[in-house]
Amino acid sequence: MSHGKIIWLKEVDSTNRYAIDNFANLEDGALVLAEQQTAGRGRLGRVWVSPPQGNIYASFVMKDLQYPAYHASRIGGMAVLATLREFAPDLKFWLKWPNDVYCREKKICGILCEAKTGKDNSPEGVVLGMGINLNMSSEALKSVGQPATSLFIEKKCKVNSKIFAKSLDIRLNRYYSINSTSPQEFFALWKSENILIGQTVEIMTGKEPALTGKIEDIGPEGELIFSSGDKVLRLYSGDITINKSSINFDGLL
Ligand code: BTN
């Protein structure tokens, strides 16, 4: 298994922007990390709050994709999950569709997968951006605007972000390769970490009002299959907000 280089930056606007603009010069499997971002990008045009607090702001470069680019984000979710479990084996982490990693009922990591296209719009690869709240204080987390947590808050001790990043890098490269050789097995593994499948929840898709129904499954294209009354929705992108009080985490984790 080949390993791309790790590139450590002190400060950058966005590691995803950096990786996309320098795509041609970066190795396949390279990981770009920054201590802080001044314009961290979140999904759906949101801002990713990125202070210099020993968090992980990382972008993984993938040039060799034999599958549609949107399947690539799974590699990030699984690698982050495994690394968090290595550093905090007693805590409970899970995946929330489409791309978030949660610690019980709070978000701890967000993933932004961006396609790199050439001049004629031809696909060249994907940059997988991961923001992991590693050592962020509860004070700093107040500016995030949604219930979020950090490993520091949950573990009550700091984690060395360099050591964490190296471990994450190994897993990203490993899962990148497994996803190419055994995509179906990897998809099944990823799906099994989406613990809300089969649960009755209240969700908001951005279109009011909230819908109560059941998360039936995740389809082969990564779409969320949700039933509410006699309607079945297939969500291919976007975000869902789940009413956490409708979920019994103790029974699930
Ligand atoms: C989300 O909205 O949940 C996704 C957040 C992704 C943030 C990461 S931090 C590293 C990389 N660089 C960016 O500008 N964004 C991603």
Side-chain angles (χ1 to χ4, degrees):
M1 183 177 51
S2 70
H3 255 239
K5 261 206 209 111
I6 301 190
I7 293 117
W8 306 94
L9 306 172
K10 192 119 195 90
E11 183 189 302
V12 72
D13 51 352
S14 150
T15 55
N16 266 28
R17 197 279 310 152
Y18 179 98
I20 286 173
D21 287 356
N22 295 288
F23 200 78
N25 301 322
L26 292 166
E27 281 174 42
D28 185 29
L31 188 65
V32 179
L33 286 139
E35 283 175 31
Q36 67 174 312
Q37 299 184 121
T38 52
R41 305 176 187 169
R43 293 180 58 247
L44 307 172
R46 292 185 289 239
V47 167
W48 188 258
V49 179
S50 311
Q53 289 210 340
N55 283 335
I56 297 286
Y57 312 116
S59 296
F60 185 59
V61 173
M62 290 184 278
K63 299 190 172 188
D64 181 25
L65 293 175
Q66 290 114 26
Y67 39 83
Y70 54 79
H71 289 306
S73 60
R74 270 173 227 148
I75 295 166
M78 292 299 283
V80 171
L81 205 56
T83 314
L84 284 168
R85 285 176 180 156
E86 176 196 342
F87 283 77
D90 298 334
L91 295 175
K92 306 286 185 195
F93 302 100
W94 56 281
L95 298 179
K96 172 177 168 274
W97 185 92
N99 276 331
D100 295 333
V101 184
Y102 270 61
C103 181
R104 289 187 67 83
E105 69 278 15
K106 290 184 180 159
K107 180 164 167 170
I108 194 161
C109 163
I111 295 175
L112 173 67
C113 197
E114 294 187 277
K116 165 75 177 106
T117 50
K119 281 205 184 80
D120 52 354
N121 239 7
S122 56
E124 290 186 351
V126 160
V127 167
L128 185 64
M130 292 148 284
I132 311 172
N133 298 333
L134 213 59
N135 290 312
M136 210 161 175
S137 65
S138 41
E139 200 49 42
L141 272 172
K142 282 185 191 148
S143 58
V144 165
Q146 62 169 303
T149 191
S150 71
L151 202 58
F152 168 62
I153 294 169
E154 302 296 330
K155 255 175 83 84
K156 297 173 186 56
C157 68
K158 297 231 170 179
V159 166
N160 183 311
S161 57
K162 287 235 149 105
I163 299 175
F164 189 96
K166 282 186 189 155
S167 187
L168 177 66
D169 178 58
I170 292 169
R171 291 204 165 82
L172 284 165
N173 278 284
R174 185 183 302 151
Y175 292 150
Y176 185 20
S177 142
I178 294 176
N179 195 35
S180 294
T181 52
S182 316
Q184 269 144 22
E185 289 80 354
F186 192 69
F187 178 69
L189 213 59
W190 172 79
K191 229 171 87 162
S192 71
E193 299 288 358
N194 282 266
I195 60 163
L196 296 185
I197 296 175
Q199 294 300 306
T200 299
V201 294
E202 190 182 280
I203 68 167
M204 278 170 285
T205 57
K207 296 176 199 134
E208 296 305 325
L211 279 178
T212 300
K214 187 171 163 197
I215 297 182
E216 298 285 353
D217 204 355
I218 295 179
E221 286 168 49
E223 76 277 21
L224 190 85
I225 306 171
F226 180 78
S227 68
S228 180
D230 53 4
K231 273 188 285 191
V232 176
L233 301 176
R234 282 178 181 262
L235 304 177
Y236 287 86
S237 61
D239 222 345
I240 53 168
T241 305
I242 291 165
N243 179 354
K244 310 281 178 349
S245 58
S246 62
I247 301 161
N248 171 12
F249 285 98
D250 288 327
L252 283 178
L253 289 164

